[in-house]
Structures are given as C-alpha cells and as structure tokens.
Amino acid sequence: MRSNAVSRFGDYPRLIGAIALAILLYGLATLAGWTIPPTIVAAHAGPASVESAPPVWAVFPFVLLLGAIAILPLWQHSSHWWESNRNKLVVAMAAALLTLVYFVMLHPSGGWEFTFQTLEHVVANDYIPFMVLLFSLFTICGGIRISGDLPAHPLTNSIFIAVGGLLASLIGTTGAAMLLVRVLIETNSQRRHQAHTIVFFIIVACNCGGLLLPIGDPPLFLGYLKGVDFLWTLNLWRSWLFINGVVLGCYYLLDHFVFYRRERPADIVRDETAVRRLTFEGVWPNALWLLGVVLAVALLDPSKPIPGTSWRPWLYLREAVQLALVALSLVFGRQDARRGNRFGFAPILEVAALFIGIFVAMQPALQLLDARGGSLGVDTPARFFWFSGWLSAVLDNAPTYLVFFETARIVSAGQADLVGGVAHDLLVGISLGSVTMGAMTYIGNGPNFMVKTIAEQSGIRMPSFFGYLGYSVAVLLPVLVLHNWLFLP
C-alpha cells in the first residue's frame, strides 16, 4: 500500500523530489559563491564570416530529422514505432550527433573547443530556458481543470479559440493550450469532424495569439532577454487583432457551412442533449503560481538588474524560481483536477526529445544564414517578416528570431528609434514573422506538438505533417499576405 505522503502527492513524488533536489543544490551552490560562467549567457557575437560558414550539405542531419518527423508517422512500417518518445529521442540524438561530428572534424572553425562552445551555447542559452518555461506553464496549467460539454456550435468553438488567443499573451501559448484544449475536445466529443477545430486552435492559441507580451511566445521571450522592453510587444496589437480576427472568421465560416453540415443528425442530437455547464477546479492556488512564472520571466533576467535596483539576478535564478513554482503546484494543487485532465508528461517529453535534436542539428543552417544573411537583401520590415517567418516554420521560431535579430542590428546601425539595438519597424517584421509563421508546421513552435499529442491521445485523428501544412497554406498564408499588404512597408 502506498504511503499517505505518496498518496497526497499523487503520481509525482519522484518528480517533486528531483525538482526539490535541483533547487536545493542550486541554493547551496549560490551560497557557496559558485556561479556558472557569465559567458554562457553572453550576447550573440554577431554574424560569422563567409569563410567560416558551413557548406550547404552540412544541414543534411537537420533535413534528415525534419524528414523523419514528417514521414515516419505516415509510413505503416514505422508509424507504431514512432509513437514512442524514446524512439523520437533516438532519432533526434542521432541527428544531433551527426552535427557534432561535423563540428569536430569538418567545420571550417571546427575542433573540440568550438564544438563544446557551440553545444554549451545551444543547451545553456537556448534549450534550458526554452524547456523550463514550457515545462512550467505545461505543468501548472495541467493542474487547472475546466470541464463541461457545451453544444459544439461553430460560434461556441470560435469563442473557445478566441479566448485561447487572448490568454496566449497573458500566460503563454503553452499555458493557454493546456488550459483550454481538453475542454474544447470534451465539448466536441459528440461530433465526428473535430480535427479542423484543433488545427485552428493550434494556429491561434498556440501561435498567433501570443503576440502581445514576451511571456506569450518563445521568440518574444528571447527578444526580451536581448534588451527589448517587456511592454514593447503591445505595439503589435493591430496585427494581433487583424490576424487572429480574420483566422477566426475563416474558422467560423468553414465550420458553419462545411463541417457542421456534414455531422450526422444523431450526433447533433447527442451534442445538443448531453450538455454540462463549465466548471473550474484547481484555479487556486495555481493561478498564483502562474503569476509567479510571469513575474519571474519579467523581472529575473540575468543580463540586467531588477527594475529600481542595482542587483542583477544570478544565472538560472529565473529557471530555479519557475521550477520551485512547479513543485508548489504539484504539492499543493488539487490532484483530482490533474486526474480529471488525464494529466501526464508524455506531450512535454515529446517536445523535449525532438527539440534537443532540432536545436543542435539546426546550428549549421543558422550559421549559414548568419554568415550570408546580409547578402540576401533583407533590409525592409516586409522582407524580415517573410524570411524570418518561413524559416521559423521549419527551423523553430525561437533561434530563428535570434539570427534575424542580430542581422537587423547590423542593418539598423546609425538609425534612430532603436529597440534593443534594432530599428522599430524591422523588429516589428521579425516579431510578427517568427510568431505567426511558427503556426505553419507542427515543428514551428513547441506547443503545436503538445496539442497534437493530447488530441491524438483523446482519439482525434489529427492531420499528418503535410496535412496540417495544407491547412496552414490554405488559411493562414493568405491572411498573412493580406496583412503584409495592409500593415508592412
């Protein structure tokens, strides 16, 4: 029989112990005066020279990884094998290992020291903050259960997606997705056609809705770390309103005139009669922990002092605070809410497994872009929008944002109205492209995969990699073209 303590903690005693131990060790190291060298979080050094840029064929491991993500789930001989997160990790690490071997043996600036510095930068500067933020929002929001079964009318679903788009800027795209995706699935459980609703939810709640604050989407978070003011992204409100509004309008028309009319009459009757009002569990104290995550991101930046003081937070203090808040959520939150959510760590583990390979294997592509980006003629907001956007769709939007951020710094030299060293208009283009076009593919942003996995675990047959791309090209791309014509020079 399990002990009372273990029963109180639910199914997470080992995770709680690991988090508590990590926090304790961090505290002891800080008290002892030990800190990780600040060079790990030093600013990007700027563009590499063309001579030191890798050749085009060096991106082969990354292309191989993208091909695996796109094709293995579709091939009947590998689809079941690919369902295991362990197998995903094997493929991702194989691509990462091939890239590291290239850095050691064949890179123009290669060698063990160069490889170690590159790996150190990728893991310490990009991957750890990225995953800790996603993990914190995922776990804390997983303790809040919104349940109910409303009639799944096109207007009802549109409202759910719109609320997700609003919350995405306040608690992050991961938080908004975790908070609403299960009740959206529950509401649509009597309908046969559900996948398109989840696709539009990914586009809005997991991507385009997160434009207004750095907490909203990882690229904006990295921009904040590079010196962009925390509230600067509120300047994007017109684009946020236009893009999300038009996408929601497209969803309503598509669901109302196409998919809802294809539902069987018996399913419509069941949907109209099996109605349960919305109920909320676990909001307290998890709402407090979510607020703590937002404040930690806003205030505990190791590259700058806390506003109003001269004290600069220790390296990884921000991440330690976020993990402490996760531990508090797991210990003091309502376990019945997590059980009702069928909460598990498989979706976030899938993101962690794939993105460690993506972050490492994409480095030759990013270095190639970094060295030759200036020769591409990217010098206007619209060009920064489309270049950063298309590459965000396949390279992950967070590191892609950083590369174009540094390119824009060079283009902005000597100009007025700089934000973090980048011209205001150029930063608008980079921010919009990186965030909105992260919705073009499943790998464009971390929460995309999480929502896909949760939907599939609930029995929804989600589109394949190419099937999802078909939706985004048919719906989101025309909206962005129209937005470019109206808003960007």
Side-chain angles (χ1 to χ4, degrees):
M1 180 180 293
R2 301 197 320 177
S3 67
N4 291 335
V6 172
S7 298
R8 170 70 184 88
F9 293 161
D11 297 325
Y12 317 112
R14 293 180 181 176
L15 180 65
I16 294 170
I19 291 174
L21 179 61
I23 295 169
L24 177 62
L25 292 174
Y26 176 84
L28 292 175
T30 301
L31 290 174
W34 180 85
T35 56
I36 299 175
T39 53
I40 292 182
V41 291
H44 191 282
S49 64
V50 175
E51 292 76 14
S52 64
V56 174
W57 58 261
V59 305
F60 174 74
F62 179 65
V63 173
L64 198 64
L65 179 55
L66 293 185
I69 293 171
I71 296 172
L72 291 183
L74 301 178
W75 192 29
Q76 61 177 351
H77 299 293
S78 61
S79 57
H80 179 69
W81 181 85
W82 183 252
E83 292 173 0
S84 168
N85 283 338
R86 180 182 62 184
N87 295 334
K88 292 184 178 77
L89 179 62
V90 168
V91 173
M93 293 306 294
L97 182 60
L98 285 174
T99 303
L100 294 177
V101 169
Y102 162 76
F103 280 139
V104 171
M105 302 181 64
L106 299 173
H107 193 281
S109 303
W112 287 104
E113 183 178 358
F114 174 82
T115 303
F116 177 76
Q117 290 176 349
T118 301
L119 185 62
E120 181 183 60
H121 174 83
V122 169
V123 174
N125 225 26
D126 299 334
Y127 183 74
I128 289 178
F130 173 81
M131 282 308 308
V132 169
L133 179 59
L134 261 61
F135 173 74
S136 302
L137 295 172
F138 173 86
T139 306
I140 295 173
C141 287
I144 300 175
R145 174 163 171 74
I146 304 175
S147 61
D149 191 349
L150 304 180
H153 299 158
L155 181 59
T156 304
N157 289 335
S158 298
I159 292 173
F160 268 118
I161 297 172
V163 172
L166 179 61
L167 289 177
S169 287
L170 301 177
I171 59 174
T173 51
T174 301
M178 287 300 300
L179 206 58
L180 293 177
V181 65
R182 289 186 175 90
V183 67
L184 181 62
I185 292 172
E186 201 171 349
T187 291
N188 286 269
S189 58
Q190 289 85 22
R191 290 186 53 173
R192 295 181 65 192
H193 301 284
Q194 306 173 49
H196 70 287
T197 298
I198 304 302
V199 168
F200 276 86
F201 182 80
I202 290 174
I203 291 173
V204 175
C206 296
N207 292 276
C208 300
L211 270 172
L212 298 182
L213 287 175
I215 191 72
D217 216 41
L220 304 182
F221 172 58
L222 294 179
Y224 168 69
L225 299 185
K226 291 294 185 180
V228 178
D229 184 76
F230 189 79
L231 298 178
W232 176 86
T233 46
L234 290 175
N235 291 292
L236 306 175
W237 71 269
R238 292 179 183 84
S239 295
W240 176 87
L241 188 62
F242 176 83
I243 294 170
N244 289 292
V246 176
V247 170
L248 277 170
C250 292
Y251 169 78
Y252 177 82
L253 295 174
L254 184 66
D255 196 38
H256 180 76
F257 290 106
V258 180
F259 288 106
Y260 196 76
R261 295 185 177 185
R262 294 180 181 175
E263 300 291 346
R264 295 179 300 191
D267 293 334
I268 295 295
V269 171
R270 286 195 307 122
D271 180 56
E272 296 288 347
T273 55
V275 175
R276 291 180 290 109
R277 66 182 181 87
L278 295 181
T279 59
F280 300 81
E281 303 173 74
V283 176
W284 182 260
N286 284 303
L288 181 63
W289 313 141
L290 279 176
L291 177 62
V293 171
V294 174
L295 292 176
V297 171
L299 301 177
L300 300 181
D301 181 356
S303 67
K304 63 184 71 170
I306 290 181
T309 73
S310 59
W311 184 71
R312 180 172 296 185
W314 305 307
L315 185 61
Y316 290 141
L317 176 62
R318 177 184 57 224
E319 284 70 31
V321 168
Q322 291 178 66
L323 292 177
L325 293 168
V326 168
L328 290 172
S329 175
L330 291 173
V331 173
F332 295 108
R334 293 182 55 175
Q335 300 307 316
D336 55 343
R338 293 190 185 276
R339 285 191 290 270
N341 280 335
R342 297 194 296 274
F343 178 81
F345 292 102
I348 194 69
L349 290 175
E350 179 178 11
V351 174
L354 288 175
F355 274 79
I356 184 59
I358 289 172
F359 271 57
V360 174
M362 71 166 53
Q363 293 308 305
L366 292 178
Q367 291 174 7
L368 189 61
L369 178 64
D370 202 17
R372 306 192 182 195
S375 63
L376 297 176
V378 184
D379 54 5
T380 67
R383 290 176 180 175
F384 272 103
F385 172 81
W386 289 110
F387 272 82
S388 63
W390 279 117
L391 289 170
S392 291
V394 295
L395 294 179
D396 182 69
N397 56 5
T400 302
Y401 173 98
L402 284 181
V403 169
F404 281 98
F405 187 92
E406 297 301 333
T407 302
R409 271 184 171 170
I410 299 172
V411 175
S412 305
Q415 296 185 29
D417 193 21
L418 298 182
V419 182
V422 175
H424 172 91
D425 290 344
L426 299 184
L427 187 57
V428 167
I430 298 168
S431 301
L432 289 171
S434 300
V435 172
T436 59
M437 295 188 73
M440 291 299 296
T441 69
Y442 281 132
I443 66 171
N445 199 15
N448 301 1
F449 257 121
M450 285 190 286
V451 169
K452 175 180 180 289
T453 301
I454 291 171
E456 290 174 337
Q457 290 174 344
S458 300
I460 298 175
R461 186 172 181 178
M462 290 295 293
S464 67
F465 182 93
F466 297 109
Y468 177 89
L469 183 62
Y471 270 103
S472 62
V473 169
V475 177
L476 180 59
L477 186 58
V479 175
L480 296 179
V481 171
L482 181 59
H483 168 271
N484 178 87
W485 181 64
L486 292 174
F487 291 92
L488 293 178

